[in-house]
Amino acid sequence: MSSSSSSSSSSSSSSEEKWPFDVFINFRGEDVRYGFVADLHKCLLHRHINAYIDSKDLRRGDEIKSALTKAIMELRIAVLVFSENYASSTWCLDELVKVMECRRLKKQRVLPVFYKVEPGVIREQRESYGEALDSHEKKWRNDSERVKKWRQALTKAGNLSSWHYDNGDDTKFIESIVKDISTIIQRAPLNVAKYPVGLGSRVKYVKELLSMSSVDVRMIGIWGNGGIGKTTIAKAVYNSIADQFDGCGFLAHVRKTSSGPNSLVNLQNKLLSQILWKSNLVVSSVDEGANLIPGTLLQENSTCA
């Protein structure tokens, strides 16, 4: 898979959008509050990542629920900690529905953690999740739509790229999560002209060509005379979709920078470094890079799937 201070801001479009919280952690308190989640929260704060968790042991009332809903709507990244008894909490499930709704409507990043539970159990609502949902259906038989939303949200979340912990070293597992979150948060948007005329419609058109909901690989070319704003459009498109990917990269001025000695090799190394966050992958020749880049990206994608 793939930090900033509490005053950090990010942009998912060509205009700046402020994010009061870097990370929101959704979890079932009785399962993981005083162990895994407490340690994760502490490590995030230590890295100056503004992580928000619900600190109320007895969560009741519309006021608390309204505050949490507002926090979810304003967050940048949601971390969903799926533990064995997560689905027994209707509060967690309501938060989950809101998180997945914000992911769809506001393109927020959602990162599941499967803590001592298999992803398939969440996707298919088996074992403890199936028992909990069956119980909810009996209790909420007059509100079947609510239970339906819980099931749909669990299925969608269970299919996202994630971290999976079974047994092992909690510390190393938490460190890997914090490192990945730090990388995402540190991903600064590219500088785009503040008031570019007509940029929005062109970005929309390019994104339609990209067909983000498709599983196909798309290659889009922006053609035109020099100085008409091709790079500006490319930067704005990049800013608007970058947070939807675990890894991404932007190579500017390729024609100019590829003319010197070893310049293509340097570009290949830079691309791998930006997308995979790995410094141990080194391209020594253009031909090697031509084979290494697609092979490595395919391998990474199958690992995260």
Side-chain angles (χ1 to χ4, degrees):
M1 294 208 48
S2 104
S3 168
S4 64
S5 66
S6 59
S7 61
S8 66
S9 64
S10 175
S11 172
S12 61
S13 65
S14 57
S15 61
E16 291 187 0
E17 185 171 2
K18 304 298 182 184
W19 298 87
F21 300 103
D22 292 323
V23 178
F24 175 85
I25 304 175
N26 164 259
F27 65 99
R28 184 182 183 276
E30 293 180 16
D31 281 4
V32 289
R33 177 188 296 277
Y34 300 110
F36 176 76
V37 167
D39 292 339
L40 174 60
H41 186 225
K42 186 186 300 182
C43 287
L44 288 168
L45 295 179
H46 181 71
R47 292 287 290 270
H48 305 291
I49 299 173
N50 188 16
Y52 180 93
I53 62 173
D54 172 21
S55 60
K56 302 292 184 182
D57 287 317
L58 297 175
R59 298 182 285 190
R60 298 289 187 273
D62 292 338
E63 183 178 347
I64 295 175
K65 191 167 187 176
S66 176
L68 284 170
T69 299
K70 185 175 185 295
I72 291 170
M73 292 178 67
E74 294 177 343
L75 61 88
R76 181 177 181 186
I77 299 171
V79 175
L80 308 173
V81 182
F82 290 116
S83 52
E84 183 179 359
N85 297 305
Y86 175 97
S88 64
S89 169
T90 58
W91 185 284
C92 285
L93 293 169
D94 282 339
E95 285 184 352
L96 171 64
V97 170
K98 188 52 139 180
V99 165
M100 298 305 291
E101 178 184 312
C102 288
R103 176 180 183 269
R104 178 173 60 86
L105 297 177
K106 303 182 71 175
K107 307 304 179 185
Q108 291 172 357
R109 194 67 176 270
V110 178
L111 306 174
V113 176
F114 299 108
Y115 189 78
K116 299 183 179 180
V117 61
E118 292 294 328
V121 172
I122 286 86
R123 285 195 300 268
E124 302 162 16
Q125 285 107 65
R126 296 186 279 107
E127 300 174 17
S128 61
Y129 281 71
E131 294 170 5
L133 269 296
D134 290 343
S135 176
H136 293 326
E137 283 185 331
K138 292 176 183 177
K139 182 177 180 180
W140 299 91
R141 55 181 176 272
N142 294 327
D143 193 1
S144 59
E145 188 63 27
R146 187 181 183 189
V147 180
K148 181 181 178 181
K149 288 181 178 179
W150 292 341
R151 288 189 179 277
Q152 290 174 341
L154 285 167
T155 298
K156 290 177 181 177
N159 280 311
L160 297 176
S161 295
S162 58
W163 297 283
H164 182 206
Y165 175 88
D166 192 2
N167 284 297
D169 190 331
D170 267 26
T171 302
K172 288 185 178 180
F173 183 60
I174 289 172
E175 285 176 353
S176 68
I177 294 175
V178 173
K179 179 182 177 182
D180 288 351
I181 290 175
S182 298
T183 304
I184 294 169
I185 290 174
Q186 286 174 341
R187 184 185 293 159
L190 302 174
N191 182 47
V192 177
K194 194 167 186 180
Y195 302 109
V197 178
L199 180 62
S201 60
R202 288 165 174 79
V203 169
K204 181 180 178 182
Y205 178 63
V206 173
K207 289 175 68 176
E208 288 174 354
L209 293 175
L210 286 170
S211 185
M212 297 295 292
S213 60
S214 171
V215 296
D216 296 334
V217 175
R218 296 292 176 97
M219 182 180 293
I220 305 296
I222 303 175
W223 179 87
N225 294 329
I228 65 171
K230 300 186 297 298
T231 301
T232 298
I233 294 172
K235 287 181 179 179
V237 171
Y238 175 91
N239 285 344
S240 70
I241 66 175
D243 277 350
Q244 300 177 47
F245 295 89
D246 294 328
C248 58
F250 189 94
L251 302 180
H253 311 298
V254 171
R255 179 184 296 177
K256 180 179 179 181
T257 57
S258 62
S259 58
N262 296 320
S263 52
L264 284 177
V265 171
N266 292 334
L267 284 172
Q268 290 173 327
N269 277 313
K270 184 176 180 181
L271 181 64
L272 285 171
S273 175
Q274 287 182 349
I275 294 178
L276 303 178
W277 323 321
K278 293 181 178 180
S279 58
N280 60 342
L281 284 174
V282 178
V283 177
S284 57
S285 69
V286 174
D287 290 336
E288 181 186 359
N291 290 323
L292 182 63
I293 290 173
T296 304
L297 295 181
L298 285 172
Q299 182 181 7
E300 287 289 320
N301 183 58
S302 63
T303 301
C304 295

